[in-house]
Amino acid sequence: NATRFCIAPFEAPDNFEYTKNTYGLDLNYRIDARQKILAQYNYVQVDRQLEPADESTLQRFWIEYRNTKWANWSGRLRYQYQQQRSELDHTVTNNSTGQTPASVPYYFTAYDVNNFDQNMIRFNVDWTPAPLFMVGFGATWRDTNFKDNYYGRTDDDTQLYDLTISYGDPDKFRISAIGNYAEVKFNQMYRNTGSNSTTPNLGPLPDGGSNSLNFNWGTGNTQESWLIAVLADWVPMDNLRLTSSYSYAKTDGGVDFWS
């Protein structure tokens, strides 16, 4: 049986608190009356009373191109880069303290405070092929690479797609259909080691050697979710709007183990 390391709830010190400072810069450049480029940079610093990571900094930069040049088409294309770095104390995990470089838990960190580099592309387009008729489509691709740890979550890839179709006058009656699909894939890696009492411990590092009780193992995880919905808006009079909606959502997933 392989040892499984889980991130359990962490009992924070009394009067848990954090300080968050955000600094930013916005830039706009108009190519012409219907085309523009926008950019933004943010620097976020978080100081918290949390022993595994008492300080984190997040840098986020995005640039977006917007086009409304055609009468019945408009679109946006955005690229975003994020980088998080934390002051990690590897001797403390969410389960225990006093970890040393001779133990496996020393080499993994909760992924919400872990160091990572992330790239994202987002695309949106709106189309009005006829009066009162609108179609909108959006897609997002996001890749996250977790750094500086041998074990735990090492990376994840996310894809998001959404489609909206609407018909009607929003000031009288409009009906809309909405569809959304998302897929998240992420990999995790761990290591089992011997006890030294019955089987030699070959060390916590991935290249420490393998036998029946000393081995690397991991999982490839896939999560899928989709949603469909119908929304109707009716405005029988100027000061009254009635809205009705129905939605159905489903999630699914699977895990592949390796060793």
Side-chain angles (χ1 to χ4, degrees), residues 51-53 86-94 96-101 103-110 113-115 147-151:
E51 290 180 307
S86 297
E87 294 293 332
L88 301 173
D89 184 354
H90 291 283
T91 66
V92 181
T93 71
N94 286 358
S96 61
T97 60
Q99 300 295 336
T100 70
S103 62
V104 171
Y106 184 88
Y107 297 99
F108 69 86
T109 303
V113 297
N114 200 5
N115 300 333
K147 306 174 72 65
D148 305 323
N149 282 313
Y150 291 124
Y151 307 117

Side-chain angles (χ1 to χ4, degrees), residues 21-179:
N21 295 302
T22 302
Y23 310 91
L25 177 66
D26 292 303
L27 297 173
N28 289 325
Y29 177 73
R30 190 175 72 170
I31 301 173
D32 55 38
R34 294 185 175 272
Q35 294 184 90
K36 64 170 59 176
I37 294 175
L38 299 89
Q40 184 181 91
Y41 171 77
N42 289 113
Y43 180 87
V44 182
Q45 182 174 11
V46 179
D47 295 300
R48 60 175 79 85
Q49 290 185 351
L50 188 67
E51 290 180 307
D54 59 3
E55 180 181 330
S56 297
T57 59
L58 176 70
Q59 297 187 72
R60 179 189 302 115
F61 169 78
W62 59 260
I63 184 169
E64 180 174 292
Y65 170 70
R66 295 182 182 179
N67 190 319
T68 58
K69 200 173 184 66
W70 295 278
N72 58 347
W73 287 90
S74 65
R76 302 187 302 271
L77 179 63
R78 173 184 291 198
Y79 167 76
Q80 177 176 285
Y81 173 76
Q82 287 194 107
Q83 180 190 88
Q84 178 170 275
R85 297 293 184 264
S86 297
E87 294 293 332
L88 301 173
D89 184 354
H90 291 283
T91 66
V92 181
T93 71
N94 286 358
N95 298 316
S96 61
T97 60
Q99 300 295 336
T100 70
S103 62
V104 171
Y106 184 88
Y107 297 99
F108 69 86
T109 303
Y111 65 87
D112 57 340
V113 297
N114 200 5
N115 300 333
F116 68 78
D117 294 334
Q118 183 185 91
N119 293 277
M120 184 190 77
I121 296 176
R122 179 179 296 164
F123 171 73
N124 296 91
V125 62
D126 294 315
W127 177 40
T128 53
L132 307 181
F133 187 37
M134 189 275 287
V135 178
F137 174 76
T140 301
W141 301 273
R142 183 169 58 239
D143 175 73
T144 306
N145 179 26
F146 296 97
K147 306 174 72 65
D148 305 323
N149 282 313
Y150 291 124
Y151 307 117
R153 184 177 294 199
T154 57
D155 62 82
D156 68 49
D157 295 297
T158 301
Q159 300 182 56
L160 302 169
Y161 304 95
D162 58 83
L163 176 67
T164 302
I165 301 174
S166 297
Y167 181 78
D169 186 342
D171 294 325
K172 295 180 180 180
F173 179 80
R174 168 176 277 192
I175 187 168
S176 302
I178 301 170

